[in-house]
Amino acid sequence: MTEDNKKTKAAEQQEHGSAAAEKVEHVDNKREEKKAVKTPTDKTAAEITAEMHEEVMRERDEYLDSLQRLQAEFANFRKRVLRESEQHSQQASIRVIEELLPVLDNFERAMKAAAEHDEKLLEGGVDLVYNQLRDILARRGLCEIEAEGTTFDPNQHEAVMCQPSDVYDEGTVTNVLEKGYQVNEKVVRPAKVIVSANPDEDSGSSST
């Protein structure tokens, strides 16, 4: 290789080295510029925290508003139900009273007959009042609890006393002191009864 060729090659290498150095410097400058320029996604921790807090507060206010509206709606619903229940109860009472008014009229007529000592009219009036009242209560679901001659049932009977009996088996209702009633199979008043006991037991012993 001649001396001129060596010089030419050295010059080319120097130019390539300078170009490479300039390229590296250019890349480094670009990186620094990117670091210096802040993009919308480059947020500080404080900014992110502030935004999260604002979002949480907004959601809290929405939930609170929904809860308050729900409470108000429930309060109105409860008032409406109570009002309708009172109206239905009042209407039911009025219907019962309307059914009992004829009974009251006949009872007053019977009392008038008693005051005038008209026994025949009095007896007929009392029977009429009794039958009317029983019919009204029966339509309302009232029925008498079967008691005398049946086996004692604490769910329907109230034993006032036990008496030895040679006729009835032990634990049988022998006498009804006060009738019991139930409405739609629900006992409203148990029958007060006397229950047969073992003949060997003392008579007149009480039982509850």
Side-chain angles (χ1 to χ4, degrees):
M1 183 180 292
T2 63
E3 187 67 26
D4 292 336
N5 289 337
K6 290 181 179 180
K7 290 180 180 180
T8 302
K9 190 171 184 179
E12 291 177 356
Q13 291 177 348
Q14 185 176 358
E15 288 177 2
H16 284 301
S18 299
E22 289 178 359
K23 188 178 290 186
V24 171
E25 184 178 357
H26 179 71
V27 172
D28 291 340
N29 290 336
K30 288 292 185 180
R31 290 177 179 175
E32 293 297 328
E33 289 176 1
K34 288 184 178 180
K35 290 181 179 179
V37 178
K38 186 177 181 180
T39 63
T41 57
D42 295 333
K43 298 179 181 178
T44 64
E47 290 174 333
I48 295 175
T49 301
E51 291 181 358
M52 291 178 62
H53 177 73
E54 182 179 352
E55 180 68 15
V56 169
M57 296 297 290
R58 184 183 62 78
E59 291 182 357
R60 183 207 64 178
D61 292 340
E62 290 178 355
Y63 290 143
L64 180 61
D65 181 66
S66 298
L67 178 60
Q68 290 174 340
R69 283 189 280 105
L70 182 62
Q71 288 177 331
E73 291 174 359
F74 179 75
N76 292 333
F77 170 76
R78 184 178 181 183
K79 290 178 182 178
R80 185 172 66 254
V81 170
L82 290 175
R83 183 171 60 252
E84 292 175 354
S85 178
E86 290 175 356
Q87 291 175 350
H88 291 161
S89 178
Q90 185 178 17
Q91 291 172 357
S93 298
I94 291 174
R95 287 196 294 269
V96 172
I97 291 173
E98 288 175 344
E99 290 180 308
L100 290 175
L101 286 177
V103 178
L104 181 62
D105 293 338
N106 288 325
F107 191 71
E108 289 176 348
R109 294 188 185 101
M111 292 175 62
K112 183 179 179 180
E116 296 174 353
H117 302 288
D118 189 338
E119 295 182 1
K120 185 175 181 180
L121 184 59
L122 173 61
E123 182 179 355
V126 170
D127 288 341
L128 181 61
V129 169
Y130 176 74
N131 291 329
Q132 278 184 313
L133 188 57
R134 282 184 62 90
D135 290 342
I136 291 172
L137 295 176
R139 289 198 300 271
R140 292 287 172 175
L142 185 73
C143 64
E144 183 178 334
I145 293 176
E146 186 179 3
E148 187 170 353
T150 65
T151 302
F152 175 76
D153 182 356
N155 296 317
Q156 294 185 320
H157 307 141
E158 179 183 344
V160 176
M161 66 176 65
C162 293
Q163 288 182 341
S165 174
D166 295 328
V167 178
Y168 293 99
D169 294 334
E170 183 179 3
T172 302
V173 175
T174 61
N175 196 6
V176 178
L177 302 179
E178 183 178 80
K179 291 181 179 180
Y181 294 93
Q182 60 185 12
V183 176
N184 299 326
E185 299 184 356
K186 179 178 177 59
V187 176
V188 294
R189 188 181 75 182
K192 293 183 179 180
V193 299
I194 297 175
V195 182
S196 61
N198 191 316
D200 296 333
E201 296 180 1
D202 294 334
S203 62
S205 59
S206 61
S207 175
T208 56

